[in-house]
Amino acid sequence: MASITEYYAGKSVLITGATGFMGKVLVEKLLWSCPDVKALYILVRPKAGQSMEQRVSHMMKCKLFDRVREANPDFHKKIIPISSELTQPGLSISPEDVEKLSACINIVFHCAATIRFDEPLKHALQLNVIATQELLSLAQRMHHLEAFIHISTAYANCNRKHIDEVIYPPPVEPKKLIESLEWMDDGIVQDITPRLIGDRPNTYTYTKALAEYVVQQEQDKLNIGIIRPSIVGASWQEPFPGWIDNFNGPSGVFIAAGKGILRTMRANNDAVADLIPVDVVVNLTLAVGWYTAVHRPKTTLVYNCTSGGINPFHWGEIEHHVISSFKRNPLEQAFRRPNANITSNYLINQYWILVSHKFPALIYDLFLRLCGQKPQMMRIFNRLHKAIGLLEYFSSQDWEWNSDNISMLMTGPAGYKGAHYSI
Ligand SMILES: CCCCCCCCCCCCCCCCCCCC(=O)SCCNC(=O)CCNC(=O)[C@H](O)C(C)(C)COP(=O)(O)OP(=O)(O)OC[C@H]1O[C@@H](n2cnc3c(N)ncnc32)[C@H](O)[C@@H]1OP(=O)(O)O
Ligand SMILES: NC(=O)C1=CN([C@@H]2O[C@H](COP(=O)(O)OP(=O)(O)OC[C@H]3O[C@@H](n4cnc5c(N)ncnc54)[C@H](OP(=O)(O)O)[C@@H]3O)[C@@H](O)[C@H]2O)C=CC1
């Protein structure tokens, strides 16, 4: 049986979300560990005044690609950008590109999504659900497709305490929701969003749950695998330890604590902080692509890519590590010396917000005004409070994920030859 590296040799791979945090690491790892991969087709949109070509060329200059660049200075020739705005009908891929992709793609990795917690429902639905449907339709036109791998989230079913590697019934039939929201204006949708999302905390987890169902509906026609990472953090080992390029999840909180801005946060010290390094998720993604294509499981397999069951780590321990590490390696231009406390008590947290956040911000802004400068600290704190308010749901409770399919992949009869794909 082919090893993972052998399997990808000569294959053409389609990746959505390749300019994102996880997508970039996936592209790099494929180029590094599967040097004989034929081509990586990546769906990219122009953004922030940059054309698709400019964005891809900029991305390939990133430090993340250093080892690949060193090994093969021509690595960029394997990356073929395809212009695509996922929120548009047909993903706005030109008919010529559709033909090209239909003729050559062997594996699809669908990473693109909006991961914002405060995304208006219509937009989250458009990107996370409707675009996934469109991609599945495109996949069905691919003559040589061997596997379709969808990246979901371990929190798609965070309204449950115990989460198995199954696709749960969706909170609503996606087709009905799409049809109903089509005629509603944004104000009405905003009003009914809390009722719709019910016991989920945000439109992100809600639409990711709907997307899983939409993907599963195609399991008779496509060979599908679904990966559910928990909180994806900086790289563990590859391409080098500690690589990260965003403030999502806890990263922004850590930086704010390191800058001495964040002094208090509501979290449960004893709750498991289910963090998973991005390179582990990417290794698993490639292993799942291989397994799905080679073993062709009869039904869609779901992989809960979590760490808490194997190596539990708690928010309370993180507090200690974060603060001591910033004391050893202080950040530049810190507002105050780092010192932050986690509490699960609402009133105590409010007290410290007043004393350690708002009061110093007021004094600092007064000082800036006296110096003839624009006040800024209160604005920063308001944004920080909004962000941590949205994260608290995840830091205040525990979940238990079953991960039998991951164990099966690592140790079972599947024959996982994953020397270069530590999971
Ligand atoms: C002692 C201290 C240690 C404390 C330890 C305890 C820590 C507990 C932390 C708990 C964290 C729990 C996290 C759980 C998450 C699990 C979710 C499931 C995982 C997933 O499936 S997907 C990934 C999750 N998605 C996210 O994390 C996205 C969340 N972010 C948002 O929804 C929005 O960014 C947000 C927060 C609503 C802000 O929106 P907005 O005001 O519009 O700002 P922008 O997004 O445009 O960003 C503006 C600017 O701010 C920077 N930024 C963004 N977030 C943060 C942040 N958290 N902290 C600091 N800075 C942040 C952003 O990069 C932008 O900068 P620019 O320079 O580009 O302007
Ligand atoms: N980060 C995390 O902690 C976790 C992430 N996940 C899942 O992993 C996947 C990747 O997440 P992550 O890399 O962190 O997310 P990012 O936000 O870093 O990347 C999102 C990607 O989707 C692309 N995208 C967004 N909107 C569009 C659009 N309209 N048209 C074309 N492309 C678009 C972005 O492109 P552009 O650069 O043009 O904006 C970007 O490449 C997602 O499915 C997410 O749900 C799951 C669990 C945890």
Side-chain angles (χ1 to χ4, degrees), residues 247 250-263 326 331 335-336 338-340 380-381 384 388:
F247 291 118
S251 315
V253 176
F254 298 162
I255 301 293
K259 290 267 183 190
I261 295 174
L262 181 110
R263 318 291 287 184
F326 282 125
L331 293 181
F335 176 61
R336 290 171 75 184
N339 185 16
I380 291 177
F381 272 110
L384 181 69
I388 56 181

Side-chain angles (χ1 to χ4, degrees), residues 351-362:
Y351 171 80
W352 284 115
I353 283 181
L354 209 64
V355 172
S356 296
H357 288 181
K358 294 198 170 165
F359 186 63
L362 212 66

Side-chain angles (χ1 to χ4, degrees), residues 331-382:
L331 293 181
E332 286 169 10
Q333 296 180 333
F335 176 61
R336 290 171 75 184
R337 194 163 177 272
N339 185 16
N341 279 301
I342 293 182
T343 172
S344 53
N345 186 301
Y346 175 79
L347 287 177
I348 294 179
N349 187 47
Q350 287 302 311
Y351 171 80
W352 284 115
I353 283 181
L354 209 64
V355 172
S356 296
H357 288 181
K358 294 198 170 165
F359 186 63
L362 212 66
I363 302 284
Y364 190 74
D365 279 352
L366 193 66
F367 171 74
L368 289 176
R369 272 180 212 277
L370 290 173
C371 298
Q373 291 177 38
K374 223 176 126 197
Q376 50 163 316
M377 219 50 211
M378 203 46 114
R379 197 174 48 86
I380 291 177
F381 272 110
N382 286 339

